[in-house]
Amino acid sequence: MDSIIEAHYHSDNLCTTILDALETAGRNTSQLALKDLAAVDQLHTGGFLSTMELVKAAAIAPDSRILDAGCGIGGSSRLMVEEFSCQVSGIDLSHEFIHTARELTHRCSLADRIQYEQGSVLDLAFPDSCFDALLSQHLLMNIEDQAGAFKEFFRVLRSGGKLLIHEIFTAGPGITAQDIEYPVPWASHAGLSFLNTWEETRSQLDKAGFTLGFQQDQSPSAIDWWSRVKAAHGNPDTPRRPLGPHLVFGDDGARFGATMLSNFEGGQLKLMGAVFTKP
Amino acid sequence: MAISQELLDILACPKCKGEIYLSETGDGLICDPCRLKYEIKDDIPIMLIEEAKPI
């Protein structure tokens, strides 16, 4: 399954494609600022503001060591370093994503506080109890063995460490992968989608040993977010902007606004932000 | 952008979670107990058990 998931996120020459698009959009690619990259590296529901709110809710101290699990091209790892002075390790299954994350981070002059490696959340390449916090953001939907991932999250967090969850769930137990409209950012078809309900995930995290602190149903703001994505990138009659989800996801990227809006408005999906603690 | 000492310091073998070290030629990270080498490609350590090479 890992190789199938990696293939879903594979894009030839992703880094060059993004850098070329940034040049076309008039950005200075030798010295990038985080705001230059937002249209390509803040594609999760709610963008950078949702990450900021979650990190604030978790009261993450400066210099905390954070694992960005499934970091993609590194948008949230760069944000946590710049806004909260954290040190971050980013991992992703996709070599192309890690290569791009590394290059963009270097060009943002943040490479001294972020390390990236290609890895799997089911077999984390870190010793026990080495992180103060772990970000799981729009990751679980591609993980079949979520209990296995939670066991690893628990292992690498120190006692008192925080697990930050920013994830999409099915809105109820009767909703299956077949009830979702595709393509969605994590899956072109039902076979790649492993959504659980929030209640199932809470129960699994409880079994793994975590204690729930903060939780917030962010589904209403998800409708607002995907409405704006649809308006910005989903109109076939307007010229495509140089920077947008198509750079990462190809032509399917233009359809996510419509499908995700439909899935949230139709009540199939639910977005949750939550903070758990390892006792 | 060579592989940084900070990254080497924090990484462990994904299989046994024990210590790993940089190979003499610098092309991989070695776990002696598992007898595996995790290759480094484009300065990125590939810490995937199924892609590790037996040594």
Side-chain angles (χ1 to χ4, degrees), chain A:
Chain A
M1 182 50 69
D2 282 3
S3 58
I4 298 170
I5 299 297
E6 192 186 352
H8 170 73
Y9 289 105
H10 181 74
S11 164
D12 284 329
N13 304 312
L14 177 63
C15 191
T16 309
T17 303
I18 289 175
L19 291 173
D20 287 350
L22 287 163
E23 294 273 357
T24 304
R27 308 297 199 275
N28 174 7
T29 54
S30 58
Q31 184 57 64
L32 289 167
L34 294 201
K35 62 178 168 47
D36 294 329
L37 294 170
V40 285
D41 77 355
Q42 299 293 331
L43 301 181
H44 48 270
T45 314
F48 72 94
L49 279 176
S50 59
T51 312
M52 301 267 294
E53 284 170 13
L54 193 57
V55 176
K56 281 180 192 163
I60 303 295
D63 291 324
S64 292
R65 188 174 277 282
I66 303 183
L67 177 61
D68 186 356
C71 63
I73 63 170
S76 290
S77 53
R78 287 185 288 274
L79 184 73
M80 291 191 287
V81 166
E82 182 142 301
E83 296 295 327
F84 298 95
S85 303
C86 302
Q87 299 181 65
V88 176
S89 292
I91 67 154
D92 203 283
L93 268 183
S94 159
H95 192 82
E96 193 74 26
F97 276 0
I98 291 294
H99 172 65
T100 305
R102 224 166 152 260
E103 186 63 38
L104 295 178
T105 298
H106 177 69
R107 289 169 190 251
C108 290
S109 304
L110 296 173
D112 60 328
R113 294 184 73 85
I114 311 180
Q115 287 96 40
Y116 293 107
E117 48 120 17
Q118 192 179 351
S120 164
V121 294
L122 297 175
D123 297 296
L124 289 171
F126 301 99
D128 297 354
S129 309
C130 67
F131 289 105
D132 301 303
L134 187 153
L135 176 66
S136 175
Q137 183 170 52
H138 291 34
L139 159 77
L140 300 177
M141 57 268 276
N142 283 129
I143 311 285
E144 192 171 13
D145 178 15
Q146 295 186 10
F150 297 154
K151 199 174 162 190
E152 278 290 83
F153 292 175
F154 193 84
R155 182 183 68 77
V156 299
L157 280 169
R158 66 166 171 82
S159 175
K162 303 285 173 67
L163 170 62
L164 283 62
I165 295 277
H166 185 222
E167 294 286 357
I168 290 170
F169 300 93
T170 47
I175 298 166
T176 69
Q178 278 72 29
D179 299 317
I180 308 297
E181 192 176 329
Y182 297 91
V184 288
W186 64 93
S188 53
H189 58 88
L192 290 179
S193 184
F194 300 104
L195 295 174
N196 281 335
T197 62
W198 164 239
E199 289 72 21
E200 284 168 327
T201 299
R202 260 191 72 174
S203 165
Q204 284 188 346
L205 285 164
D206 185 57
K207 277 184 197 147
F210 286 103
T211 306
L212 175 63
F214 168 84
Q215 63 169 317
Q216 185 180 43
D217 184 348
Q218 300 174 347
S219 304
S221 62
I223 290 173
D224 182 49
W225 170 262
W226 289 108
S227 298
R228 282 187 281 139
V229 172
K230 185 182 174 187
H233 302 288
N235 187 344
D237 299 326
T238 55
R240 185 185 265 177
R241 299 176 185 200
L243 300 174
H246 64 277
L247 295 174
V248 178
F249 293 106
D251 289 338
D252 273 358
R255 298 169 62 192
F256 295 158
T259 58
M260 289 297 284
L261 182 61
S262 167
N263 286 324
F264 274 105
E265 281 189 328
Q268 287 100 304
L269 296 182
K270 179 175 187 167
L271 176 69
M272 290 296 297
V275 179
F276 290 79
T277 303
K278 175 177 174 176

Side-chain angles (χ1 to χ4, degrees), chain B residues 18-38:
Chain B
E19 283 186 23
I20 50 176
Y21 60 89
L22 192 61
S23 68
E24 273 182 27
T25 50
D27 63 346
L29 296 165
I30 292 174
C31 175
D32 280 333
C34 296
R35 302 193 58 79
L36 288 174
K37 179 161 94 173
Y38 299 95

Side-chain angles (χ1 to χ4, degrees), chain B residues 33-51:
Chain B
C34 296
R35 302 193 58 79
L36 288 174
K37 179 161 94 173
Y38 299 95
E39 291 188 306
I40 298 172
K41 189 177 154 196
D42 308 324
D43 292 334
I44 296 166
I46 303 170
M47 306 306 289
L48 297 167
I49 297 168
E50 62 273 27
E51 292 194 23

